[in-house]
Amino acid sequence: MIPKAVHRERLEENLAIRDFALNQEDMERIAPLDKDCPSMPDTRKVSEVKQVYDYLGNPVLTGL
């Protein structure tokens, strides 16, 4: 990921992330977020690409 920043202060904050670390408590709190599957469709799989197109063609979802 490449963060966007134009102000010097924000650029410096973005670069300071290198000394960031999660402790054990943090890891335990975010562990339930792991669904053991990708959150984005795999574009190499035809079935997943079809799901995206089916979603886009669903008038209930796209008409909101």
Short mmCIF file of all heavy atoms in Angstrom, two decimals:
data_model
loop_
_atom_site.label_atom_id
_atom_site.label_comp_id
_atom_site.label_asym_id
_atom_site.label_seq_id
_atom_site.Cartn_x
_atom_site.Cartn_y
_atom_site.Cartn_z
N MET A 1 0.84 -1.16 0.00
CA MET A 1 0.00 0.00 0.00
C MET A 1 0.90 1.24 0.00
O MET A 1 1.89 1.29 0.72
CB MET A 1 -0.90 -0.01 1.23
CG MET A 1 -1.78 1.18 1.31
SD MET A 1 -3.15 0.98 2.45
CE MET A 1 -2.40 1.43 3.98
N ILE A 2 0.53 2.21 -0.80
CA ILE A 2 1.27 3.47 -0.85
C ILE A 2 0.36 4.57 -0.31
O ILE A 2 -0.63 4.92 -0.94
CB ILE A 2 1.71 3.80 -2.29
CG1 ILE A 2 2.58 2.67 -2.82
CG2 ILE A 2 2.45 5.13 -2.33
CD1 ILE A 2 2.92 2.78 -4.28
N PRO A 3 0.67 5.08 0.87
CA PRO A 3 -0.18 6.14 1.43
C PRO A 3 -0.03 7.45 0.67
O PRO A 3 1.06 7.77 0.19
CB PRO A 3 0.30 6.27 2.87
CG PRO A 3 1.67 5.72 2.86
CD PRO A 3 1.76 4.73 1.74
N LYS A 4 -1.12 8.17 0.56
CA LYS A 4 -1.10 9.47 -0.10
C LYS A 4 -0.92 10.54 0.96
O LYS A 4 -1.59 10.55 1.98
CB LYS A 4 -2.40 9.71 -0.84
CG LYS A 4 -2.49 11.08 -1.49
CD LYS A 4 -3.95 11.38 -1.82
CE LYS A 4 -4.17 12.84 -2.02
NZ LYS A 4 -4.11 13.65 -0.83
N ALA A 5 0.00 11.43 0.71
CA ALA A 5 0.20 12.57 1.61
C ALA A 5 0.91 13.67 0.82
O ALA A 5 1.74 13.39 -0.03
CB ALA A 5 1.01 12.17 2.82
N VAL A 6 0.57 14.89 1.12
CA VAL A 6 1.22 16.02 0.45
C VAL A 6 1.89 16.96 1.45
O VAL A 6 2.73 17.75 1.08
CB VAL A 6 0.23 16.82 -0.44
CG1 VAL A 6 -0.22 15.99 -1.62
CG2 VAL A 6 -0.95 17.31 0.36
N HIS A 7 1.51 16.83 2.72
CA HIS A 7 2.09 17.69 3.75
C HIS A 7 3.26 16.97 4.41
O HIS A 7 3.18 15.78 4.72
CB HIS A 7 1.04 18.07 4.79
CG HIS A 7 -0.11 18.82 4.20
ND1 HIS A 7 0.01 20.10 3.72
CD2 HIS A 7 -1.39 18.45 3.96
CE1 HIS A 7 -1.15 20.50 3.23
NE2 HIS A 7 -2.02 19.51 3.37
N ARG A 8 4.33 17.70 4.66
CA ARG A 8 5.54 17.13 5.22
C ARG A 8 5.26 16.35 6.52
O ARG A 8 5.77 15.24 6.72
CB ARG A 8 6.57 18.22 5.47
CG ARG A 8 7.88 17.69 6.02
CD ARG A 8 8.92 18.78 6.16
NE ARG A 8 10.17 18.24 6.59
CZ ARG A 8 11.10 17.72 5.79
NH1 ARG A 8 10.90 17.69 4.50
NH2 ARG A 8 12.21 17.23 6.28
N GLU A 9 4.45 16.92 7.39
CA GLU A 9 4.15 16.26 8.67
C GLU A 9 3.52 14.88 8.45
O GLU A 9 3.88 13.91 9.11
CB GLU A 9 3.21 17.15 9.48
CG GLU A 9 2.86 16.57 10.84
CD GLU A 9 1.92 17.48 11.61
OE1 GLU A 9 2.21 18.69 11.71
OE2 GLU A 9 0.91 16.97 12.11
N ARG A 10 2.57 14.79 7.53
CA ARG A 10 1.91 13.51 7.24
C ARG A 10 2.87 12.53 6.58
O ARG A 10 2.85 11.33 6.85
CB ARG A 10 0.68 13.71 6.36
CG ARG A 10 -0.46 14.39 7.04
CD ARG A 10 -1.05 13.57 8.17
NE ARG A 10 -1.68 12.37 7.63
CZ ARG A 10 -1.65 11.19 8.20
NH1 ARG A 10 -1.06 11.00 9.34
NH2 ARG A 10 -2.23 10.16 7.63
N LEU A 11 3.75 13.02 5.69
CA LEU A 11 4.75 12.15 5.08
C LEU A 11 5.65 11.54 6.15
O LEU A 11 5.94 10.34 6.13
CB LEU A 11 5.60 12.94 4.08
CG LEU A 11 4.91 13.35 2.78
CD1 LEU A 11 5.74 14.39 2.04
CD2 LEU A 11 4.67 12.14 1.90
N GLU A 12 6.08 12.35 7.09
CA GLU A 12 6.93 11.86 8.18
C GLU A 12 6.18 10.84 9.05
O GLU A 12 6.76 9.83 9.46
CB GLU A 12 7.44 13.02 9.02
CG GLU A 12 8.45 13.88 8.28
CD GLU A 12 8.82 15.16 9.01
OE1 GLU A 12 8.22 15.45 10.08
OE2 GLU A 12 9.71 15.87 8.50
N GLU A 13 4.90 11.09 9.31
CA GLU A 13 4.10 10.13 10.08
C GLU A 13 4.00 8.80 9.33
O GLU A 13 4.09 7.73 9.94
CB GLU A 13 2.71 10.68 10.35
CG GLU A 13 2.66 11.79 11.37
CD GLU A 13 1.26 12.37 11.52
OE1 GLU A 13 0.33 11.92 10.82
OE2 GLU A 13 1.11 13.28 12.35
N ASN A 14 3.79 8.87 8.03
CA ASN A 14 3.68 7.65 7.23
C ASN A 14 4.98 6.85 7.26
O ASN A 14 4.97 5.62 7.31
CB ASN A 14 3.30 7.97 5.79
CG ASN A 14 1.87 8.45 5.67
OD1 ASN A 14 1.04 8.22 6.54
ND2 ASN A 14 1.58 9.14 4.59
N LEU A 15 6.10 7.53 7.21
CA LEU A 15 7.39 6.84 7.25
C LEU A 15 7.70 6.27 8.63
O LEU A 15 8.44 5.29 8.75
CB LEU A 15 8.51 7.80 6.81
CG LEU A 15 8.47 8.19 5.33
CD1 LEU A 15 9.52 9.26 5.05
CD2 LEU A 15 8.69 6.97 4.44
N ALA A 16 7.13 6.84 9.67
CA ALA A 16 7.40 6.38 11.03
C ALA A 16 6.74 5.05 11.34
O ALA A 16 6.96 4.48 12.41
CB ALA A 16 6.95 7.45 12.03
N ILE A 17 5.95 4.52 10.46
CA ILE A 17 5.24 3.27 10.70
C ILE A 17 6.19 2.08 10.80
O ILE A 17 5.85 1.03 11.32
CB ILE A 17 4.15 3.03 9.61
CG1 ILE A 17 3.17 1.94 10.02
CG2 ILE A 17 4.81 2.67 8.29
CD1 ILE A 17 2.29 2.29 11.15
N ARG A 18 7.40 2.24 10.34
CA ARG A 18 8.35 1.13 10.37
C ARG A 18 8.64 0.62 11.78
O ARG A 18 9.05 -0.52 11.96
CB ARG A 18 9.65 1.53 9.68
CG ARG A 18 9.45 1.78 8.21
CD ARG A 18 10.76 2.09 7.53
NE ARG A 18 10.56 2.57 6.20
CZ ARG A 18 10.50 1.79 5.13
NH1 ARG A 18 10.62 0.50 5.25
NH2 ARG A 18 10.32 2.31 3.93
N ASP A 19 8.44 1.43 12.80
CA ASP A 19 8.69 0.98 14.16
C ASP A 19 7.39 0.53 14.85
O ASP A 19 7.33 0.39 16.05
CB ASP A 19 9.40 2.06 14.98
CG ASP A 19 8.57 3.31 15.17
OD1 ASP A 19 7.47 3.41 14.58
OD2 ASP A 19 9.02 4.21 15.90
N PHE A 20 6.37 0.28 14.07
CA PHE A 20 5.07 -0.14 14.58
C PHE A 20 5.09 -1.65 14.87
O PHE A 20 5.66 -2.43 14.12
CB PHE A 20 4.01 0.17 13.52
CG PHE A 20 2.65 -0.39 13.83
CD1 PHE A 20 1.81 0.25 14.72
CD2 PHE A 20 2.22 -1.56 13.23
CE1 PHE A 20 0.56 -0.25 15.01
CE2 PHE A 20 0.96 -2.07 13.51
CZ PHE A 20 0.14 -1.42 14.40
N ALA A 21 4.49 -2.05 15.96
CA ALA A 21 4.41 -3.47 16.30
C ALA A 21 3.11 -3.73 17.06
O ALA A 21 2.64 -2.87 17.82
CB ALA A 21 5.59 -3.89 17.14
N LEU A 22 2.55 -4.90 16.84
CA LEU A 22 1.36 -5.32 17.58
C LEU A 22 1.80 -6.19 18.75
O LEU A 22 2.65 -7.07 18.59
CB LEU A 22 0.43 -6.13 16.69
CG LEU A 22 -0.22 -5.39 15.52
CD1 LEU A 22 -0.98 -6.36 14.64
CD2 LEU A 22 -1.13 -4.30 16.02
N ASN A 23 1.21 -5.96 19.91
CA ASN A 23 1.52 -6.83 21.05
C ASN A 23 0.55 -8.02 21.04
O ASN A 23 -0.35 -8.11 20.21
CB ASN A 23 1.47 -6.05 22.37
CG ASN A 23 0.10 -5.46 22.66
OD1 ASN A 23 -0.92 -6.03 22.28
ND2 ASN A 23 0.07 -4.34 23.34
N GLN A 24 0.73 -8.94 21.97
CA GLN A 24 -0.09 -10.16 22.01
C GLN A 24 -1.58 -9.83 22.19
O GLN A 24 -2.43 -10.44 21.56
CB GLN A 24 0.39 -11.09 23.12
CG GLN A 24 -0.30 -12.42 23.13
CD GLN A 24 -0.11 -13.20 21.84
OE1 GLN A 24 0.95 -13.16 21.23
NE2 GLN A 24 -1.15 -13.92 21.43
N GLU A 25 -1.89 -8.85 23.02
CA GLU A 25 -3.29 -8.47 23.22
C GLU A 25 -3.91 -7.96 21.92
O GLU A 25 -5.04 -8.32 21.58
CB GLU A 25 -3.39 -7.39 24.30
CG GLU A 25 -4.81 -6.97 24.60
CD GLU A 25 -4.90 -5.85 25.63
OE1 GLU A 25 -3.90 -5.57 26.32
OE2 GLU A 25 -5.99 -5.27 25.73
N ASP A 26 -3.17 -7.15 21.18
CA ASP A 26 -3.66 -6.66 19.89
C ASP A 26 -3.92 -7.82 18.94
O ASP A 26 -4.95 -7.87 18.25
CB ASP A 26 -2.64 -5.71 19.24
CG ASP A 26 -2.44 -4.42 20.00
OD1 ASP A 26 -3.39 -3.97 20.67
OD2 ASP A 26 -1.34 -3.86 19.92
N MET A 27 -2.99 -8.76 18.89
CA MET A 27 -3.13 -9.92 17.99
C MET A 27 -4.36 -10.74 18.35
O MET A 27 -5.08 -11.20 17.47
CB MET A 27 -1.87 -10.79 18.06
CG MET A 27 -0.63 -10.11 17.52
SD MET A 27 -0.74 -9.72 15.77
CE MET A 27 -0.65 -11.35 15.07
N GLU A 28 -4.63 -10.90 19.64
CA GLU A 28 -5.80 -11.67 20.08
C GLU A 28 -7.09 -10.95 19.72
O GLU A 28 -8.09 -11.58 19.38
CB GLU A 28 -5.72 -11.93 21.58
CG GLU A 28 -4.63 -12.92 21.94
CD GLU A 28 -4.35 -13.00 23.43
OE1 GLU A 28 -5.07 -12.35 24.22
OE2 GLU A 28 -3.40 -13.73 23.80
N ARG A 29 -7.07 -9.63 19.77
CA ARG A 29 -8.28 -8.86 19.45
C ARG A 29 -8.60 -8.88 17.96
O ARG A 29 -9.77 -8.85 17.56
CB ARG A 29 -8.13 -7.43 19.93
CG ARG A 29 -8.15 -7.32 21.45
CD ARG A 29 -8.02 -5.91 21.93
NE ARG A 29 -9.19 -5.14 21.55
CZ ARG A 29 -9.25 -3.82 21.56
NH1 ARG A 29 -8.19 -3.12 21.94
NH2 ARG A 29 -10.33 -3.19 21.22
N ILE A 30 -7.58 -8.93 17.10
CA ILE A 30 -7.85 -8.92 15.66
C ILE A 30 -7.98 -10.33 15.08
O ILE A 30 -8.47 -10.49 13.96
CB ILE A 30 -6.79 -8.12 14.87
CG1 ILE A 30 -5.41 -8.76 14.98
CG2 ILE A 30 -6.77 -6.67 15.31
CD1 ILE A 30 -4.37 -8.11 14.09
N ALA A 31 -7.58 -11.35 15.81
CA ALA A 31 -7.65 -12.73 15.32
C ALA A 31 -9.05 -13.13 14.83
O ALA A 31 -9.17 -13.79 13.79
CB ALA A 31 -7.15 -13.70 16.38
N PRO A 32 -10.13 -12.75 15.51
CA PRO A 32 -11.47 -13.14 15.02
C PRO A 32 -11.82 -12.55 13.65
O PRO A 32 -12.76 -13.01 13.01
CB PRO A 32 -12.42 -12.61 16.09
CG PRO A 32 -11.59 -12.45 17.32
CD PRO A 32 -10.21 -12.11 16.82
N LEU A 33 -11.09 -11.56 13.20
CA LEU A 33 -11.37 -10.98 11.89
C LEU A 33 -10.92 -11.88 10.74
O LEU A 33 -11.37 -11.71 9.61
CB LEU A 33 -10.67 -9.61 11.76
CG LEU A 33 -11.08 -8.55 12.78
CD1 LEU A 33 -10.21 -7.32 12.63
CD2 LEU A 33 -12.54 -8.20 12.61
N ASP A 34 -10.05 -12.84 11.03
CA ASP A 34 -9.56 -13.75 10.00
C ASP A 34 -10.65 -14.75 9.65
O ASP A 34 -11.06 -15.56 10.47
CB ASP A 34 -8.32 -14.49 10.51
CG ASP A 34 -7.72 -15.42 9.46
OD1 ASP A 34 -8.20 -15.42 8.31
OD2 ASP A 34 -6.77 -16.14 9.81
N LYS A 35 -11.14 -14.69 8.45
CA LYS A 35 -12.21 -15.57 7.99
C LYS A 35 -11.67 -16.78 7.24
O LYS A 35 -12.41 -17.57 6.67
CB LYS A 35 -13.20 -14.80 7.08
CG LYS A 35 -13.82 -13.59 7.76
CD LYS A 35 -14.59 -13.99 8.98
CE LYS A 35 -15.24 -12.78 9.64
NZ LYS A 35 -15.63 -13.02 10.99
N ASP A 36 -10.33 -16.91 7.17
CA ASP A 36 -9.67 -18.03 6.50
C ASP A 36 -10.07 -18.17 5.03
O ASP A 36 -10.20 -19.26 4.50
CB ASP A 36 -9.93 -19.34 7.25
CG ASP A 36 -8.94 -20.43 6.84
OD1 ASP A 36 -7.79 -20.10 6.49
OD2 ASP A 36 -9.34 -21.61 6.86
N CYS A 37 -10.35 -17.03 4.41
CA CYS A 37 -10.64 -17.01 2.98
C CYS A 37 -10.40 -15.59 2.47
O CYS A 37 -10.46 -14.64 3.24
CB CYS A 37 -12.07 -17.44 2.69
SG CYS A 37 -13.32 -16.33 3.33
N PRO A 38 -10.12 -15.45 1.18
CA PRO A 38 -9.87 -14.11 0.64
C PRO A 38 -11.11 -13.23 0.74
O PRO A 38 -12.24 -13.71 0.63
CB PRO A 38 -9.50 -14.35 -0.81
CG PRO A 38 -9.45 -15.81 -1.01
CD PRO A 38 -10.00 -16.48 0.19
N SER A 39 -10.92 -11.96 0.93
CA SER A 39 -12.05 -11.04 0.99
C SER A 39 -12.35 -10.43 -0.39
O SER A 39 -13.35 -9.78 -0.56
CB SER A 39 -11.78 -9.93 2.00
OG SER A 39 -10.63 -9.22 1.64
N MET A 40 -11.46 -10.66 -1.33
CA MET A 40 -11.66 -10.16 -2.69
C MET A 40 -11.82 -11.35 -3.62
O MET A 40 -11.23 -12.41 -3.39
CB MET A 40 -10.44 -9.33 -3.14
CG MET A 40 -10.18 -8.11 -2.29
SD MET A 40 -11.48 -6.88 -2.40
CE MET A 40 -11.36 -6.39 -4.09
N PRO A 41 -12.60 -11.20 -4.70
CA PRO A 41 -12.73 -12.30 -5.65
C PRO A 41 -11.38 -12.62 -6.30
O PRO A 41 -10.59 -11.74 -6.57
CB PRO A 41 -13.71 -11.77 -6.70
CG PRO A 41 -14.34 -10.57 -6.11
CD PRO A 41 -13.41 -10.05 -5.06
N ASP A 42 -11.16 -13.90 -6.55
CA ASP A 42 -9.97 -14.34 -7.27
C ASP A 42 -10.28 -14.28 -8.76
O ASP A 42 -11.05 -15.09 -9.28
CB ASP A 42 -9.60 -15.76 -6.85
CG ASP A 42 -8.31 -16.25 -7.46
OD1 ASP A 42 -7.82 -15.61 -8.43
OD2 ASP A 42 -7.78 -17.27 -6.99
N THR A 43 -9.72 -13.31 -9.44
CA THR A 43 -10.04 -13.10 -10.87
C THR A 43 -9.52 -14.22 -11.76
O THR A 43 -9.84 -14.26 -12.93
CB THR A 43 -9.48 -11.76 -11.36
OG1 THR A 43 -8.06 -11.72 -11.12
CG2 THR A 43 -10.16 -10.59 -10.65
N ARG A 44 -8.75 -15.14 -11.19
CA ARG A 44 -8.29 -16.29 -11.97
C ARG A 44 -9.34 -17.39 -12.00
O ARG A 44 -9.22 -18.34 -12.75
CB ARG A 44 -6.98 -16.82 -11.39
CG ARG A 44 -5.85 -15.79 -11.45
CD ARG A 44 -4.68 -16.22 -10.62
NE ARG A 44 -5.11 -16.22 -9.22
CZ ARG A 44 -4.34 -16.56 -8.20
NH1 ARG A 44 -3.10 -16.92 -8.41
NH2 ARG A 44 -4.79 -16.51 -6.97
N LYS A 45 -10.36 -17.27 -11.17
CA LYS A 45 -11.42 -18.29 -11.11
C LYS A 45 -12.66 -17.76 -11.80
O LYS A 45 -13.25 -16.75 -11.38
CB LYS A 45 -11.74 -18.64 -9.66
CG LYS A 45 -10.59 -19.30 -8.94
CD LYS A 45 -10.98 -19.65 -7.52
CE LYS A 45 -9.83 -20.32 -6.80
NZ LYS A 45 -10.18 -20.60 -5.40
N VAL A 46 -13.07 -18.43 -12.86
CA VAL A 46 -14.22 -18.00 -13.64
C VAL A 46 -15.47 -17.89 -12.77
O VAL A 46 -16.25 -16.94 -12.90
CB VAL A 46 -14.47 -18.97 -14.82
CG1 VAL A 46 -15.75 -18.62 -15.55
CG2 VAL A 46 -13.28 -18.94 -15.77
N SER A 47 -15.67 -18.81 -11.85
CA SER A 47 -16.87 -18.79 -11.01
C SER A 47 -16.94 -17.52 -10.17
O SER A 47 -18.02 -16.96 -9.96
CB SER A 47 -16.91 -20.02 -10.11
OG SER A 47 -15.81 -20.03 -9.22
N GLU A 48 -15.79 -17.03 -9.70
CA GLU A 48 -15.80 -15.82 -8.88
C GLU A 48 -16.02 -14.58 -9.73
O GLU A 48 -16.68 -13.64 -9.30
CB GLU A 48 -14.51 -15.73 -8.06
CG GLU A 48 -14.44 -16.81 -7.01
CD GLU A 48 -13.32 -16.63 -6.02
OE1 GLU A 48 -12.90 -15.48 -5.79
OE2 GLU A 48 -12.86 -17.65 -5.47
N VAL A 49 -15.50 -14.58 -10.94
CA VAL A 49 -15.74 -13.45 -11.85
C VAL A 49 -17.23 -13.40 -12.21
O VAL A 49 -17.83 -12.32 -12.21
CB VAL A 49 -14.87 -13.57 -13.12
CG1 VAL A 49 -15.25 -12.51 -14.14
CG2 VAL A 49 -13.39 -13.48 -12.77
N LYS A 50 -17.83 -14.55 -12.44
CA LYS A 50 -19.27 -14.59 -12.75
C LYS A 50 -20.09 -14.05 -11.59
O LYS A 50 -21.09 -13.37 -11.79
CB LYS A 50 -19.70 -16.02 -13.09
CG LYS A 50 -19.29 -16.45 -14.46
CD LYS A 50 -19.80 -17.85 -14.76
CE LYS A 50 -19.42 -18.27 -16.15
NZ LYS A 50 -19.89 -19.63 -16.45
N GLN A 51 -19.67 -14.33 -10.36
CA GLN A 51 -20.39 -13.82 -9.19
C GLN A 51 -20.40 -12.29 -9.20
O GLN A 51 -21.41 -11.68 -8.87
CB GLN A 51 -19.75 -14.30 -7.90
CG GLN A 51 -20.12 -15.69 -7.51
CD GLN A 51 -19.51 -16.08 -6.19
OE1 GLN A 51 -18.36 -15.76 -5.90
NE2 GLN A 51 -20.28 -16.77 -5.37
N VAL A 52 -19.30 -11.68 -9.58
CA VAL A 52 -19.23 -10.22 -9.63
C VAL A 52 -20.21 -9.70 -10.66
O VAL A 52 -20.97 -8.76 -10.40
CB VAL A 52 -17.79 -9.73 -9.93
CG1 VAL A 52 -17.77 -8.24 -10.20
CG2 VAL A 52 -16.87 -10.09 -8.79
N TYR A 53 -20.21 -10.31 -11.84
CA TYR A 53 -21.13 -9.85 -12.88
C TYR A 53 -22.58 -10.10 -12.50
O TYR A 53 -23.46 -9.29 -12.78
CB TYR A 53 -20.79 -10.49 -14.23
CG TYR A 53 -19.62 -9.82 -14.89
CD1 TYR A 53 -18.35 -10.37 -14.83
CD2 TYR A 53 -19.77 -8.60 -15.54
CE1 TYR A 53 -17.26 -9.73 -15.42
CE2 TYR A 53 -18.70 -7.95 -16.13
CZ TYR A 53 -17.45 -8.53 -16.07
OH TYR A 53 -16.38 -7.89 -16.65
N ASP A 54 -22.86 -11.23 -11.86
CA ASP A 54 -24.23 -11.51 -11.41
C ASP A 54 -24.66 -10.47 -10.37
O ASP A 54 -25.80 -10.02 -10.36
CB ASP A 54 -24.34 -12.91 -10.81
CG ASP A 54 -24.22 -14.00 -11.86
OD1 ASP A 54 -24.36 -13.68 -13.07
OD2 ASP A 54 -23.98 -15.16 -11.48
N TYR A 55 -23.75 -10.08 -9.50
CA TYR A 55 -24.03 -9.05 -8.49
C TYR A 55 -24.37 -7.74 -9.17
O TYR A 55 -25.34 -7.07 -8.81
CB TYR A 55 -22.81 -8.89 -7.58
CG TYR A 55 -22.92 -7.71 -6.64
CD1 TYR A 55 -23.61 -7.81 -5.45
CD2 TYR A 55 -22.33 -6.49 -6.95
CE1 TYR A 55 -23.72 -6.74 -4.58
CE2 TYR A 55 -22.42 -5.41 -6.10
CZ TYR A 55 -23.12 -5.53 -4.92
OH TYR A 55 -23.22 -4.46 -4.07
N LEU A 56 -23.59 -7.36 -10.18
CA LEU A 56 -23.83 -6.09 -10.87
C LEU A 56 -25.14 -6.08 -11.63
O LEU A 56 -25.73 -5.02 -11.83
CB LEU A 56 -22.66 -5.78 -11.81
CG LEU A 56 -21.31 -5.54 -11.13
CD1 LEU A 56 -20.21 -5.40 -12.17
CD2 LEU A 56 -21.36 -4.32 -10.25
N GLY A 57 -25.62 -7.25 -12.04
CA GLY A 57 -26.86 -7.32 -12.78
C GLY A 57 -28.08 -7.48 -11.91
O GLY A 57 -29.21 -7.52 -12.39
N ASN A 58 -27.90 -7.58 -10.61
CA ASN A 58 -29.02 -7.77 -9.69
C ASN A 58 -29.69 -6.42 -9.42
O ASN A 58 -29.12 -5.56 -8.78
CB ASN A 58 -28.49 -8.37 -8.38
CG ASN A 58 -29.59 -8.74 -7.43
OD1 ASN A 58 -30.64 -8.10 -7.41
ND2 ASN A 58 -29.36 -9.74 -6.62
N PRO A 59 -30.91 -6.21 -9.92
CA PRO A 59 -31.56 -4.90 -9.76
C PRO A 59 -31.85 -4.53 -8.31
O PRO A 59 -31.93 -3.35 -7.98
CB PRO A 59 -32.86 -5.05 -10.55
CG PRO A 59 -33.11 -6.51 -10.64
CD PRO A 59 -31.76 -7.17 -10.62
N VAL A 60 -31.98 -5.51 -7.45
CA VAL A 60 -32.22 -5.21 -6.03
C VAL A 60 -30.99 -4.57 -5.42
O VAL A 60 -31.08 -3.61 -4.67
CB VAL A 60 -32.60 -6.48 -5.25
CG1 VAL A 60 -32.69 -6.21 -3.77
CG2 VAL A 60 -33.89 -7.07 -5.77
N LEU A 61 -29.81 -5.05 -5.78
CA LEU A 61 -28.59 -4.53 -5.21
C LEU A 61 -28.12 -3.26 -5.91
O LEU A 61 -27.63 -2.34 -5.27
CB LEU A 61 -27.48 -5.60 -5.30
CG LEU A 61 -27.76 -6.87 -4.52
CD1 LEU A 61 -26.68 -7.89 -4.80
CD2 LEU A 61 -27.87 -6.61 -3.03
N THR A 62 -28.24 -3.21 -7.23
CA THR A 62 -27.70 -2.06 -7.96
C THR A 62 -28.69 -0.90 -8.04
O THR A 62 -28.32 0.19 -8.43
CB THR A 62 -27.27 -2.47 -9.38
OG1 THR A 62 -28.40 -3.04 -10.05
CG2 THR A 62 -26.15 -3.47 -9.34
N GLY A 63 -29.95 -1.13 -7.67
CA GLY A 63 -30.94 -0.07 -7.75
C GLY A 63 -31.10 0.72 -6.47
O GLY A 63 -31.97 1.58 -6.36
N LEU A 64 -30.27 0.44 -5.48
CA LEU A 64 -30.39 1.14 -4.22
C LEU A 64 -29.84 2.53 -4.29
O LEU A 64 -28.97 2.86 -4.99
CB LEU A 64 -29.68 0.34 -3.11
CG LEU A 64 -30.23 -1.04 -2.86
CD1 LEU A 64 -29.39 -1.77 -1.82
CD2 LEU A 64 -31.67 -0.97 -2.38
#
